[in-house]
Amino acid sequence: MSRRPRLRLGAVVAATAALAALLVPAASAAAHGRPAGHPGPLPPAPKTAVLDGERLQAAKVRLELGDPGVRKAVKNLTAQADDWLGQGPWTVVDKPAPAPGGDPHDYLSQAPYWWPSQPKTDDNPHGCPYVQRDGERNPEVDTGTDRPDVGKVFASSYTLSLAWYYTGKKQYAEHAADILRTWFLDPDTRMNPNLNHGQFIPCKYDGRSIGIIDFSQEYTSVVDAVAVLGTGAPGWSKADRTAMTAWNKDFLSWLVDSDFGKEEGAAENNHGTFYDMQVAALAYATGDRDLARSTVLDARRKRIDAQVAGDGSQPQELARTRSWHYSTFDLVAYTRLAEIGRHVGVDLWGYRGPDGQSLFKAVDFLLPAATGAAGWPYPELEFYRYAASDIVHAAADAGDAAARAAVPHLQEPPGGDLWALRPASEQLDSIAG
């Protein structure tokens, strides 16, 4: 399969000849000061870890020049941001009872696929012992823990920060800042930078290493939201930036040095991939480029060689009851890790394993189902075709000709296609766990 070199601003945003003409001056903005037709200085490019700040900058320029495709995407983005304006902030100390350690500032979540096996009685209030039912989410996990609220923190801060960047409306930035300060920074409401009590199982475990995925699957969005706000957002001060960097450094140290972190880093399925992505993003964002680079480099052998077969399938994810979800889920981590790699000089997309494994092959394996050309022949409790849309966009941008041809046939996710504004994969059919 032919691979063409990746365009710096992405083929996906060059929908028309007129738009393509804008990409050249935008890419050379550093040399010429501003692109042709742009009325003033360029907006700042955020120093993001996963997102490409220069692509955000170029999208903002196209918005200011009236590009209709970007304007449509911004309309979808601000509709989501407006919904968040009336919600939050949230805090880890609001749960009805603290985590098993007794500190209300410790994060707590419950294992999503574990269910009581006995009737709940006064003598056995939890219905223990709990048994696993893979892919079936126990609704208990949404009551009495921090998992639902932290998901709102991640999604809202990311959406609101981007909405501010593209529109300049200060209410978006101020609310994002309030949400982040409340959850991470204010002494009375902040979360401790650990996940010692993630995905506990009643009567069995007070916390588990795999609870780290509660954060690793989405926290890089917060890392990038902070970088976007750092371009001069109202309500997000230098003191906030300094305190958030300190929190992230402490959290990174816990991830790298704790027993739970080491166990999660040794995981051989999507948990390990997401762990690497989170460590690399935090390392890059806090100035440890060596750790970021080594983490991406090690992922070639440790993750791609071990997890992706020569035909592009991911055997461990295909064995799940939600095989489509987990196949796309793992590739969200890989494609984001590849973007971090670009910042530190590692081409993860270009890597080929000893059996021909590659990220391109892994995405191409999903294309028949992603485009609707064929059904998905593996177990899946809830199939959503749009779950693959972002990862196909990412592969197309990276030079995959088959993915590029598939883009027009993708199913638009709920809330619209936001790829032109935030070109980084998200799990569009998100389930917790």
Side-chain angles (χ1 to χ4, degrees):
M1 179 175 296
S2 63
R3 312 288 185 200
R4 288 185 287 181
R6 173 178 177 160
L7 296 177
R8 178 61 179 157
L9 299 176
V12 69
V13 295
T16 66
L19 179 56
L22 292 173
L23 295 178
V24 174
S28 60
H32 302 303
R34 67 184 187 187
H38 190 254
L42 283 173
K47 296 180 180 179
T48 38
V50 174
L51 291 167
D52 183 339
E54 291 183 12
R55 291 185 69 178
L56 269 62
Q57 179 189 59
K60 185 171 173 64
V61 168
R62 293 196 299 277
L63 175 66
E64 293 171 355
L65 293 173
D67 176 75
V70 178
R71 290 176 65 181
K72 179 182 177 182
V74 168
K75 183 178 179 180
N76 290 332
L77 175 68
T78 55
Q80 295 181 24
D82 289 342
D83 285 342
W84 286 120
L85 284 176
Q87 301 182 55
W90 302 270
T91 170
V92 75
V93 302
D94 271 353
K95 53 186 172 292
D103 188 339
H105 293 272
D106 280 343
Y107 172 83
L108 175 68
S109 69
Q110 185 170 328
Y113 301 150
W114 287 77
W115 294 71
S117 64
Q118 301 298 320
K120 296 183 179 182
T121 65
D122 291 341
D123 294 333
N124 186 6
H126 292 290
C128 296
Y130 271 52
V131 296
Q132 188 175 29
R133 290 156 55 176
D134 186 41
E136 298 181 43
R137 197 166 185 273
N138 183 349
E140 289 180 359
V141 305
D142 294 325
T143 60
T145 76
D146 297 307
R147 183 66 187 94
D149 284 349
V150 82
K152 295 172 185 176
V153 170
F154 296 157
S156 64
S157 60
Y158 191 52
T159 300
L160 288 162
S161 299
L162 289 170
W164 165 77
Y165 181 77
Y166 287 112
T167 69
K169 293 182 179 180
K170 68 177 184 178
Q171 62 265 38
Y172 294 141
E174 289 173 346
H175 195 44
D178 190 29
I179 288 167
L180 291 172
R181 269 195 305 272
T182 302
W183 190 274
F184 295 105
L185 304 181
D186 288 351
D188 292 339
T189 59
R190 73 190 294 270
M191 173 186 160
N192 292 331
N194 70 69
L195 295 171
N196 290 327
H197 301 292
Q199 295 202 12
F200 91 107
I201 299 175
C203 312
K204 192 173 180 71
Y205 299 116
D206 288 345
R208 299 184 299 158
S209 62
I210 65 173
I212 289 173
I213 206 166
D214 288 3
F215 264 57
S216 61
Q217 65 180 306
E218 295 180 84
Y219 188 66
T220 54
S221 294
V222 172
V223 173
D224 278 354
V226 169
V228 170
L229 294 175
T231 62
W236 188 247
S237 67
K238 181 179 179 180
D240 292 329
R241 297 195 298 271
T242 299
M244 196 73 213
T245 298
W247 196 97
N248 281 334
K249 285 182 176 180
D250 289 343
F251 184 43
L252 176 61
S253 294
W254 182 87
L255 286 169
V256 171
D257 297 331
S258 69
D259 289 342
F260 275 1
K262 292 173 183 177
E263 289 174 22
E264 186 76 342
E268 297 179 349
N269 63 354
N270 62 75
H271 281 261
T273 318
F274 273 99
Y275 174 86
D276 284 356
M277 181 195 74
Q278 181 169 233
V279 166
L282 284 166
Y284 178 78
T286 57
D288 192 343
R289 292 178 63 93
D290 289 342
L291 177 58
R293 179 178 171 81
S294 65
T295 301
V296 181
L297 284 170
D298 289 348
R300 300 175 303 176
R301 171 191 55 80
K302 189 176 181 182
R303 307 298 178 199
I304 296 176
D305 287 3
Q307 295 179 11
V308 180
D311 64 353
S313 65
Q314 300 169 76
Q316 293 181 84
E317 312 308 334
L318 293 182
R320 303 292 297 270
T321 61
R322 299 282 323 264
S323 62
W324 173 254
H325 167 84
Y326 280 104
S327 292
T328 60
F329 184 58
D330 201 20
L331 281 168
V332 167
Y334 276 121
T335 57
R336 284 185 162 234
L337 189 62
E339 288 303 303
I340 300 166
R342 264 193 336 99
H343 294 312
V344 292
V346 180
D347 179 13
L348 201 61
W349 283 107
Y351 175 72
R352 300 292 181 273
D355 297 323
Q357 305 101 313
S358 73
L359 298 188
F360 284 126
K361 278 190 175 182
V363 174
D364 290 353
F365 184 84
L366 307 181
L367 291 181
T371 59
W376 180 248
Y378 304 95
E380 178 55 58
L381 297 177
E382 294 180 82
F383 179 84
Y384 298 104
R385 185 158 67 90
Y386 59 75
S389 294
D390 271 2
I391 61 174
V392 176
H393 272 302
D397 282 9
D400 185 337
R404 190 177 299 120
V407 165
H409 306 289
L410 297 175
Q411 184 180 38
E412 185 172 288
D417 186 351
L418 300 180
W419 187 259
L421 303 180
R422 53 116 190 95
S425 299
E426 293 184 5
Q427 188 60 41
L428 300 171
D429 70 332
S430 184
I431 59 174

